[in-house]
Amino acid sequence: MAHWSRFEKELELETRRLISHYTSIQDEEDQNFQMALKFAWSNFKFHRFLDTNRHNVQRSINGIHEKLMVHSDLSKAESWLRLTGEFLSSPLPNTEETKTEVHYSVLALLLHLSDSPSNTNYCERPRLKEAEKEDEFDWAKYLMEGEDIDTGPFPDTPEWSEDESEEEDSQQPLSREDSGIQVDRTPQEDHEQNDKTVQVTWTLGEPDSRAWLEQHIVTSYWVPNSPRFPHSLHLHSNLYNVWDQHLYNTGPLYLPEEKSFVTETQVIRETLWLFSGVKKLFIFQHNDGKVTVRNDVVVTHLTNNCLHSVLEHIAAYGQAVTRLQKFIDEVTGHSAEPCPPGLNSSSSSSSKKSSDPPFRTYQAFVWALYKYFTSFKEELNTIEKDIIAKDETVTLSSVLERLSPHLAQITMLHRVFCTGVADVPPGTPNVLRASHLLNTLYKAIIEYDSVGEASEQSVALLFSLWVETVRPYLEIVDEWIVHGHLFDPAKEFIIQRNKDVPVNHRDFWYATYTLYSVSETVESEERLSDAASGSSGGEQASSSRQHTMVSFLKPVLKQIIMAGKSMQLLKNLDCKETEQPDGSSRDAERKSLYTLFLESVQTRLRHGEDSPTNTVTEQQATKKSLIKMQSIVARHLELDDIHDPLLAINFARLYLEQNDFHEKFSGSNVILDRSSESVTCQTFELTLRSCLYPHIERRYIECCGNLMRTLKKDYRLLGYLQAMRNYFLLEAGDTMYDFYTAIFDKVLEKESWQQLAFLNVQLQEAVGQRHPEDSSRLSIFLETIDPARKKQPVNNLDGLTLSYKVPWPVDIVISSECQKIYNQVFLLLLQIKWAKYSLDTLRFSDLTVAAKRQEGGQSEESTAKEPINQQIHRMFLLRVKLMHFVNSLHNYIMTRILHSTGLEFQHQVQEAKDLDQLIKIHYRYLSTIHDRCLLREKVSFVKEAIMKVLNLVLIFSDRWQAGFGAWKIESIDKMESDFKNCHMFLVTILNKAVCRGSFPH
């Protein structure tokens, strides 16, 4: 026990006392006593009781407090909450920390021992604390002993003299009344002319006019050494003087400075002017874009520090207003009334001095800011009118409280402006500026919405800003997917046209448009996946920066690209689908994408409209609306493969809980009600999904459907795809048989066949008989091949290349790269056909006749060897084995691979919705047959084994035709051995691959 702590030793003593008390055994050496001690220690150390849960204890404390409050035991509730808090915050004898497990354990014990606290009469006993002894020693007298005290220039002057103030007041000729509002002149004009003396000539006989003017004129507080205005003698109205006198009396080094006294009304007036955008002020000064406060401005009823603390906050808001107003002026070219942005809105910036006008996204953003500041300035004018009317007392604090919602919104707008506009480096392309601004607004809506109900007004304002700012983007999208023209003169859209590639070029679909992404550093939880289209390229940047793009367009970006390119392609095709004699009238009647989006938002956010004659109760109407909205939201969720009825109910309740967010349509102008509640984060994304994306989806289906029908009907797309399979994949067996057998016959006759004229003549004759329409498109040519690659007979066909001229726009699908893959398969099929044709044309008579001739001249040495008939039999058996191998390979390639895959391809082509999907289907089809024909580098060892067998077939056929005796019997042994080795290798490899699942076909 020497190593025990003090706590364990005390616990040992208490445990022994506890056992002695309950068992009455005083002899600690007794066996029963020792058993009881071991049992107690075992339960203390290895008990199964949980530690005290401080959350449950705190919950019980709060519950008892709430119960006492319900029972109106206010004094008991107050004592309970205060005493438990003091106990938790006080150290214990063995514990110096507060709110430890021991504290909560003691409280838990007391709670378990308590019985009905609400029914107990309790009166808190006062606990007297020892009062701290006050230091009665006169430290001031001790420290100032022997020092000369300076009481100022007038030591006999009392601290305050009301008589003197009254005398000063009697010397002032003007009365105390001052409205603080100057109607005729502004301080900025007076500040410019502060060195000039204004001469006023009074007309005799008009004393009333002079008296009224003397009572209502504003003291020129902005002029140096301006006269002091009269004010009340109350102590509260002279707080500055009292405090200044105190500083003078207590500070030996304090030196009074010359101050400019103003009234609180004048401070309010300059505050309103600052928020209105006025720059030439007296109290607030603009220095290099920053708003500062003059140090010498004071009011009589506030201390200097207190006044400057309030004015610094006002200056911060004023700087935000000034910065936003400066941005508005820069974009609008300092015009008085900016016009709403539209397709021709760049003309509104013609007055700007810069050569390049601001792009339309910035103009739309500025237009939204201008409308907000218009309403804000109306509020400022209302406050100023209230000050002039003097119907009620207006103080600086009441004005700031009245403007607090607007000031919070201005702070939010300034933050969005700094992040989305001001922080963008100079020289950044417009596409990155516009994308970054829209992303900033989008993220700000979600960020402020996460606060909840406290930011409803902020989210409503941000949503109205986003709706206005996104207008140019939606107009660009609408122009592109409706008319096929990407009108983006300022290059602000994330998709930009490559002018170097014309529409009728075969690379139009791949190289015409470039998809740009915004490179910006984002937090890990805000990272967005790159939504670049497979048929469009994006810019590359460093790996340390994350690529994002316009967030709200990501779900439908592929549809926009497909619809835009399809529409532009349709406009350049001479097809009946695009012939619309009444196109101009239809276009005039058609609503733009932006208008459709606003109407959908208006419809979605509108409350259920009940007719006046409807007599159902409010609960029944709410229930019906909820059921209706649940079905609507459920349909929208099913569009994205989301089947969750509970989620639909929650969205429906969120919809019904919102106030109106109507858009009032007046001609082409749309006014968003900013006083409505915000759309929550989920419903904001759901709003885009239900109000914007369906319109783009419908246009995508319409454009791409028209293009696919045009290509299939007017441009014979399916016919050209079938022609590629007929000639390259030898599906037109009779036609291609006439072509390649002519080549094989030349090879058997040992004649030269590698003549371009001969090959084209044979091809034209074969195709012209059955498919004359393709004879002019089909041609063949020979590529130069390294002689080292033609060591084997089967490689003699290398370099034979088939070409098919595909017209535009079908060559977008059947490109030159596709024809290269077709040619690889075509060469493999020719090699298999050559081997099969060589075995099929062998005749038994050629071998038997040569054998009979050989028997007559047989020498004695050969009689000991194998008989001739047995050698012939071995040749017959080897031919049958080789024919079985080649026929099995031929049937597998032509049926299980080409025919089956071709049927799947035709079915997928019929279901393709757009041209990009058709291109991918075609590439996937070619990749499939390329892999299954063992042309991939990964399985080249299997192809090499097959090529060895095909080469063995050609050698065997050549020796068969040479006749018996032209070769030695050892060659038969070698051919049988080579075939057996290749056969066993292929069987082993393919069995393992099939069992492993590598070749599912």
Side-chain angles (χ1 to χ4, degrees):
M1 296 183 183
H3 64 279
W4 279 14
S5 64
R6 178 183 175 186
F7 173 75
E8 291 175 333
K9 293 178 180 179
E10 293 179 355
L11 183 60
E12 171 75 12
L13 296 176
E14 296 297 334
T15 305
R16 291 178 181 274
R17 290 178 56 194
L18 179 67
I19 295 173
S20 300
H21 178 73
Y22 275 101
T23 62
S24 301
I25 301 176
Q26 303 300 328
D27 185 10
E28 295 184 359
E29 300 299 331
D30 187 87
Q31 183 179 2
N32 293 329
F33 187 90
Q34 292 297 326
M35 291 177 61
L37 181 62
K38 291 180 180 179
F39 176 78
W41 267 109
S42 176
N43 279 275
F44 286 156
K45 290 187 177 180
F46 312 108
H47 63 82
R48 292 177 294 175
F49 302 103
L50 296 177
D51 293 338
T52 304
N53 190 332
R54 61 174 61 198
H55 298 289
N56 292 338
V57 174
Q58 190 64 43
R59 195 179 298 113
S60 300
I61 293 173
N62 296 336
I64 292 176
H65 176 263
E66 184 178 358
K67 185 176 182 181
L68 294 175
M69 293 296 292
V70 171
H71 286 270
S72 299
D73 290 339
L74 303 182
S75 59
K76 190 186 298 185
E78 191 273 334
S79 299
W80 167 255
L81 199 61
R82 177 170 48 79
L83 292 176
T84 52
E86 290 178 357
F87 173 74
L88 291 174
S89 302
S90 303
L92 296 178
N94 295 329
T95 306
E96 296 182 358
E97 296 90 359
T98 60
K99 295 185 178 180
T100 61
E101 296 295 334
V102 180
H103 287 80
Y104 285 98
S105 299
V106 173
L107 283 179
L109 177 62
L110 295 176
L111 289 172
H112 286 301
L113 295 176
S114 65
D115 182 19
S116 187
S118 59
N119 294 332
T120 304
N121 295 324
Y122 172 76
C123 182
E124 183 178 354
R125 292 174 295 178
R127 293 181 295 172
L128 299 178
K129 297 182 179 180
E130 296 182 1
E132 296 181 0
K133 297 182 179 180
E134 295 183 0
D135 189 4
E136 299 178 354
F137 186 76
D138 191 355
W139 286 100
K141 182 178 180 180
Y142 173 75
L143 292 175
M144 297 297 292
E145 184 178 358
E147 297 291 335
D148 294 334
I149 301 175
D150 185 10
T151 58
F154 305 102
D156 298 332
T157 303
E159 294 185 1
W160 186 258
S161 177
E162 296 185 359
D163 298 336
E164 182 179 353
S165 300
E166 292 177 358
E167 293 177 0
E168 291 179 359
D169 294 339
S170 62
Q171 296 175 2
Q172 296 292 340
L174 299 178
S175 65
R176 182 178 170 271
E177 295 183 5
D178 181 14
S179 66
I181 300 298
Q182 184 174 357
V183 182
D184 301 331
R185 303 177 59 82
T186 59
Q188 53 191 3
E189 297 171 351
D190 294 332
H191 190 65
E192 294 174 355
Q193 303 175 3
N194 55 3
D195 295 334
K196 298 180 181 180
T197 303
V198 181
Q199 300 291 338
V200 181
T201 303
W202 303 106
T203 305
L204 296 177
E206 297 181 357
D208 295 338
S209 301
R210 180 185 177 93
W212 183 91
L213 187 59
E214 289 177 349
Q215 293 176 0
H216 291 80
I217 194 170
V218 177
T219 305
S220 300
Y221 59 88
W222 55 89
V223 179
N225 300 322
S226 60
R228 289 280 299 273
F229 56 87
H231 59 86
S232 173
L233 301 180
H234 195 277
L235 179 62
H236 295 167
S237 298
N238 292 274
L239 182 59
Y240 172 77
N241 292 332
V242 174
W243 181 252
D244 192 63
Q245 184 66 31
H246 170 71
L247 294 178
Y248 183 79
N249 293 335
T250 58
L253 302 179
Y254 178 75
L255 181 64
E257 298 178 356
E258 189 67 26
K259 300 292 184 180
S260 298
F261 285 87
V262 295
T263 64
E264 185 172 358
T265 308
Q266 291 167 351
V267 175
I268 296 173
R269 178 178 59 186
E270 293 219 0
T271 300
L272 298 179
W273 285 348
L274 176 66
F275 291 159
S276 299
V278 178
K279 295 183 178 179
K280 294 183 179 181
L281 300 172
F282 176 72
I283 300 177
F284 302 99
Q285 295 179 334
H286 291 74
N287 298 317
D288 298 331
K290 295 183 178 180
V291 179
T292 58
V293 182
R294 291 179 64 100
N295 294 325
D296 59 345
V297 174
V298 293
V299 294
T300 59
H301 58 284
L302 290 176
T303 63
N304 194 16
N305 293 337
C306 177
L307 177 64
H308 274 265
S309 176
V310 176
L311 295 183
E312 288 293 342
H313 286 288
I314 296 175
Y317 292 123
Q319 184 171 340
V321 172
T322 303
R323 200 171 182 187
L324 292 173
Q325 188 64 49
K326 180 181 178 182
F327 174 66
I328 294 174
D329 294 339
E330 289 176 353
V331 173
T332 57
H334 304 281
S335 59
E337 292 291 335
C339 61
L343 285 177
N344 56 352
S345 60
S346 60
S347 61
S348 64
S349 310
S350 58
S351 61
K352 190 175 180 181
K353 298 178 181 179
S354 176
S355 59
D356 296 330
F359 52 95
R360 290 183 292 169
T361 302
Y362 271 19
Q363 293 183 38
F365 180 61
V366 163
W367 173 245
L369 289 178
Y370 174 80
K371 290 198 296 185
Y372 171 77
F373 275 105
T374 300
S375 62
F376 176 59
K377 290 178 181 179
E378 290 176 357
E379 179 68 18
L380 298 179
N381 292 335
T382 304
I383 296 175
E384 193 165 5
K385 291 178 181 178
D386 293 342
I387 297 175
I388 296 174
K390 295 184 181 180
D391 293 335
E392 56 183 9
T393 303
V394 180
T395 62
L396 184 60
S397 60
S398 64
V399 170
L400 294 179
E401 183 179 1
R402 184 172 174 179
L403 293 176
S404 58
H406 290 281
L407 297 179
Q409 292 175 351
I410 287 175
T411 304
M412 175 191 65
L413 294 179
H414 184 254
R415 176 186 174 190
V416 171
F417 165 76
C418 291
T419 305
V421 178
D423 292 345
V424 178
T428 305
N430 290 342
V431 57
L432 303 184
R433 290 177 178 269
S435 303
H436 183 62
L437 175 58
L438 290 173
N439 273 347
T440 303
L441 285 171
Y442 185 86
K443 294 176 182 177
I445 293 176
I446 298 177
E447 177 185 351
Y448 277 92
D449 180 72
S450 62
V451 179
E453 297 180 357
S455 62
E456 289 175 353
Q457 299 294 333
S458 299
V459 176
L461 174 60
L462 285 173
F463 184 68
S464 66
L465 254 69
W466 182 85
V467 169
E468 289 286 352
T469 309
V470 84
R471 180 174 183 174
Y473 252 58
L474 295 185
E475 288 177 346
I476 293 173
V477 172
D478 181 68
E479 178 72 13
W480 191 25
I481 65 179
V482 172
H483 300 290
H485 176 48
L486 186 61
F487 180 76
D488 184 22
K491 295 184 178 181
E492 59 186 297
F493 194 53
I494 57 173
I495 304 169
Q496 296 183 12
R497 177 77 160 88
N498 184 8
K499 301 294 184 181
D500 298 334
V501 182
V503 181
N504 56 357
H505 195 272
R506 67 183 184 89
D507 292 334
F508 161 77
W509 198 259
Y510 311 98
T512 309
Y513 294 95
T514 302
L515 174 63
Y516 286 84
S517 60
V518 183
S519 180
E520 55 185 10
T521 305
V522 294
E523 298 295 334
S524 59
E525 65 268 14
E526 295 177 352
R527 299 214 169 191
L528 304 174
S529 59
D530 189 3
S533 173
S535 60
S536 302
E539 291 185 341
Q540 300 294 329
S542 61
S543 59
S544 62
R545 299 176 71 82
Q546 178 72 18
H547 287 280
T548 63
M549 59 185 58
V550 182
S551 303
F552 79 98
L553 284 183
K554 283 179 61 180
V556 289
L557 189 61
K558 177 181 178 295
Q559 288 83 344
I560 293 174
I561 296 175
M562 293 300 105
K565 291 195 292 188
S566 300
M567 198 62 206
Q568 185 170 5
L569 192 59
L570 275 174
K571 290 293 183 180
N572 289 270
L573 295 178
D574 298 330
C575 58
K576 298 179 181 179
E577 293 288 343
T578 57
E579 293 178 1
Q580 297 179 356
D582 56 343
S584 59
S585 61
R586 289 184 180 181
D587 189 64
E589 297 175 358
R590 185 188 64 86
K591 294 181 179 180
S592 66
L593 177 64
Y594 182 72
T595 304
L596 292 174
F597 169 62
L598 291 181
E599 290 181 351
S600 300
V601 171
Q602 177 190 14
T603 303
R604 183 179 182 276
L605 298 182
R606 180 186 296 139
H607 279 296
E609 296 179 354
D610 297 330
S611 59
T613 58
N614 194 0
T615 58
V616 296
T617 62
E618 183 179 354
Q619 293 181 353
Q620 292 173 341
T622 304
K623 184 178 180 180
K624 289 183 178 180
S625 300
L626 180 61
I627 296 174
K628 181 180 179 181
M629 273 307 301
Q630 178 185 351
S631 62
I632 294 174
V633 176
R635 280 202 307 273
H636 284 300
L637 293 177
E638 288 176 0
L639 294 177
D640 291 334
D641 297 332
I642 301 174
H643 303 280
D644 191 347
L646 182 60
L647 185 63
I649 294 175
N650 292 336
F651 278 140
R653 291 192 181 279
L654 284 174
Y655 169 83
L656 291 175
E657 290 173 359
Q658 291 175 357
N659 290 340
D660 285 341
F661 195 84
H662 297 311
E663 293 132 5
K664 315 297 182 184
F665 287 91
S666 175
S668 60
N669 296 327
V670 180
I671 302 175
L672 293 176
D673 183 10
R674 296 189 186 88
S675 63
S676 63
E677 289 185 358
S678 66
V679 231
T680 61
C681 170
Q682 295 90 342
T683 52
F684 175 59
E685 295 178 353
L686 190 63
T687 298
L688 295 179
R689 190 182 303 174
S690 60
C691 300
L692 178 61
Y693 301 160
H695 300 299
I696 298 177
E697 289 277 356
R698 280 195 293 271
R699 190 59 196 170
Y700 155 75
I701 294 173
E702 181 181 353
C703 294
C704 296
N706 290 339
L707 179 61
M708 293 300 296
R709 286 192 295 270
T710 301
L711 293 178
K712 292 177 182 179
K713 180 179 178 181
D714 299 341
Y715 288 88
R716 298 181 54 247
L717 173 63
L718 300 180
Y720 288 118
L721 290 173
Q722 183 62 46
M724 297 299 293
R725 297 198 305 274
N726 287 341
Y727 305 128
F728 287 85
L729 305 184
L730 307 183
E731 286 192 9
D734 48 359
T735 300
M736 297 307 293
Y737 180 82
D738 295 342
F739 166 66
Y740 61 70
T741 52
I743 299 176
F744 299 158
D745 290 338
K746 284 277 187 180
V747 176
L748 292 177
E749 295 173 2
K750 308 297 182 182
E751 297 180 3
S752 175
W753 59 272
Q754 296 176 340
Q755 300 173 3
L756 200 58
F758 163 74
L759 295 175
N760 280 291
V761 168
Q762 293 298 325
L763 181 63
Q764 294 299 325
E765 288 181 356
V767 175
Q769 293 179 2
R770 299 176 180 85
H771 304 283
E773 68 279 1
D774 291 330
S775 59
S776 60
R777 300 186 179 278
L778 203 60
S779 61
I780 195 167
F781 58 93
L782 293 170
E783 291 183 352
T784 303
I785 303 297
D786 186 8
R789 295 177 53 187
K790 294 188 176 182
K791 292 182 179 180
Q792 303 296 336
V794 74
N795 295 326
N796 288 335
L797 294 177
D798 291 354
L800 195 63
T801 305
L802 204 60
S803 176
Y804 189 83
K805 295 180 181 179
V806 182
W808 181 85
V810 183
D811 59 352
I812 296 176
V813 180
I814 308 174
S815 60
S816 57
E817 290 77 10
C818 295
Q819 292 204 26
K820 290 180 182 179
I821 302 177
Y822 275 117
N823 267 302
Q824 293 181 23
V825 180
F826 172 68
L827 179 60
L828 175 66
L829 296 179
L830 274 186
Q831 292 171 338
I832 297 174
K833 293 284 187 180
W834 187 13
K836 186 178 185 305
Y837 185 80
S838 299
L839 291 176
D840 290 343
T841 54
L842 294 180
R843 292 176 295 179
F844 292 106
S845 58
D846 295 340
L847 196 61
T848 55
V849 171
K852 290 179 181 180
R853 293 176 184 173
Q854 187 69 18
E855 287 179 355
Q858 190 175 17
S859 62
E860 295 181 357
E861 297 178 356
S862 63
T863 56
K865 298 180 180 180
E866 188 176 2
I868 293 177
N869 291 335
Q870 190 172 355
Q871 296 180 20
I872 294 175
H873 183 66
R874 289 175 61 188
M875 292 287 286
F876 288 168
L877 291 178
L878 182 57
R879 179 188 181 227
V880 171
K881 292 179 180 179
L882 293 174
M883 286 185 67
H884 174 72
F885 180 90
V886 173
N887 287 335
S888 299
L889 177 64
H890 176 266
N891 292 334
Y892 171 73
I893 294 292
M894 298 301 294
T895 58
R896 291 294 301 277
I897 292 182
L898 298 182
H899 181 67
S900 301
T901 311
L903 293 178
E904 296 177 3
F905 170 66
Q906 293 177 16
H907 178 69
Q908 292 173 354
V909 168
Q910 294 294 337
E911 294 183 347
K913 295 180 180 180
D914 56 61
L915 186 58
D916 196 65
Q917 187 178 357
L918 178 61
I919 293 172
K920 292 179 180 177
I921 290 172
H922 187 227
Y923 268 115
R924 189 162 56 246
Y925 166 68
L926 292 180
S927 177
T928 301
I929 62 175
H930 183 270
D931 292 347
R932 294 183 178 181
C933 289
L934 306 176
L935 297 175
R936 192 172 49 172
E937 189 68 25
K938 186 178 180 180
V939 291
S940 58
F941 61 93
V942 180
K943 182 191 174 186
E944 289 177 2
I946 294 176
M947 289 296 106
K948 286 183 179 180
V949 176
L950 297 182
N951 190 63
L952 183 64
V953 168
L954 297 179
I955 296 175
F956 175 79
S957 174
D958 185 62
R959 291 180 179 178
W960 182 293
Q961 292 177 354
F964 197 86
W967 36 268
K968 297 181 179 181
I969 190 63
E970 288 80 4
S971 62
I972 300 178
D973 298 335
K974 188 174 186 309
M975 285 190 291
E976 289 178 342
S977 175
D978 291 345
F979 175 71
K980 182 178 180 181
N981 292 335
C982 292
H983 181 267
M984 293 303 298
F985 172 76
L986 288 173
V987 168
T988 304
I989 290 296
L990 294 177
N991 277 336
K992 290 183 178 179
V994 169
C995 294
R996 191 168 60 246
S998 301
F999 298 154
H1001 50 281

